[in-house]
Amino acid sequence: MRDSSALVILAYACSAGLVKGSKQHALQPICDAQQAMMRPAQLVELETGLDGMLLLFSSQELLHLLQGHPQLLQCPLASWLDFFNSFGFSPSQIKNVVSQQPRILIDSDVARAGAAILRLKQLGFDNDEVRHRVVAYCPQVLAMQEQDIDMLIRLWSKFGVGVDERAGM
């Protein structure tokens, strides 16, 4: 619990009502101190992102995810959720990506993910194919560079993984 990310989890757990009674009372000073260290814009992003995540996950599922990957609390969760929604990902698809590959949100950024989707579209994939055939099968594509995406699609095509050779390959 010495890690600042753990303190953020505590702050979130307190504010979301996951910690109740005497535990909440004992942890409240820690929660307040953590929140005081964050800039207002960070708090808004975090609160909005966590609210959005609670639409996808139960509070216990979310707390478990955050305990396993506390770095998620330092990601622009609200921006990621807006990104997924803007490309038409369903709540279950978003939940699958976040729960199966949280490192994508931690190690990459929304701009790179957008560039990856743009590259897939340039290769001839439509929105449904991007969501259902590519990202569902390999969410890591959202963190890949253009040349890596090209190699991945070539490899899949060569071995018949469910994508056909696309234009420009």
Side-chain angles (χ1 to χ4, degrees):
M1 289 290 198
R2 289 176 227 140
D3 178 49
S4 68
S5 297
L7 294 176
V8 175
I9 290 173
L10 287 175
Y12 170 67
C14 290
S15 66
L18 299 175
V19 178
K20 297 184 189 264
S22 62
K23 286 183 182 178
Q24 181 179 9
H25 181 70
L27 295 173
Q28 197 62 50
I30 296 170
C31 297
D32 293 343
Q34 177 61 32
Q35 289 176 341
M37 293 188 315
M38 298 178 81
R39 294 188 319 262
Q42 289 174 308
L43 285 171
V44 169
E45 172 74 26
L46 178 60
E47 182 180 4
T48 304
L50 291 173
D51 285 344
M53 295 287 273
L54 281 170
L55 296 174
L56 304 171
F57 296 91
S58 71
S59 56
Q60 290 301 341
E61 288 172 327
L62 182 56
L63 188 57
H64 184 271
L65 178 67
L66 294 175
Q67 287 171 331
H69 303 279
Q71 307 92 331
L72 282 169
L73 292 165
Q74 298 168 351
C75 297
L77 293 175
S79 298
W80 274 106
L81 293 173
D82 288 344
F83 167 82
F84 287 122
N85 287 319
S86 71
F87 280 103
F89 284 83
S90 70
S92 64
Q93 289 171 319
I94 299 169
K95 183 177 180 177
N96 285 339
V97 170
V98 173
S99 61
Q100 292 174 10
Q101 296 294 328
R103 297 292 327 171
I104 292 170
L105 281 67
I106 295 165
D107 297 333
S108 191
D109 58 52
V110 174
R112 178 171 292 166
I117 288 181
L118 178 61
R119 181 62 186 152
L120 291 166
K121 287 180 165 192
Q122 290 169 343
L123 294 172
F125 292 94
D126 65 28
N127 287 337
D128 283 344
E129 291 172 320
V130 167
R131 289 189 306 269
H132 299 289
R133 294 179 73 193
V134 180
V135 176
Y137 187 72
C138 181
Q140 299 90 332
V141 74
L142 295 172
M144 290 182 175
Q145 299 291 337
E146 186 174 305
Q147 66 273 15
D148 296 327
I149 293 169
D150 292 350
M151 288 189 320
L152 176 68
I153 299 304
R154 270 193 219 106
L155 181 67
W156 284 356
S157 297
K158 183 176 181 178
F159 292 103
V161 177
V163 295
D164 52 352
E165 194 75 32
R166 299 291 172 175
M169 295 296 292

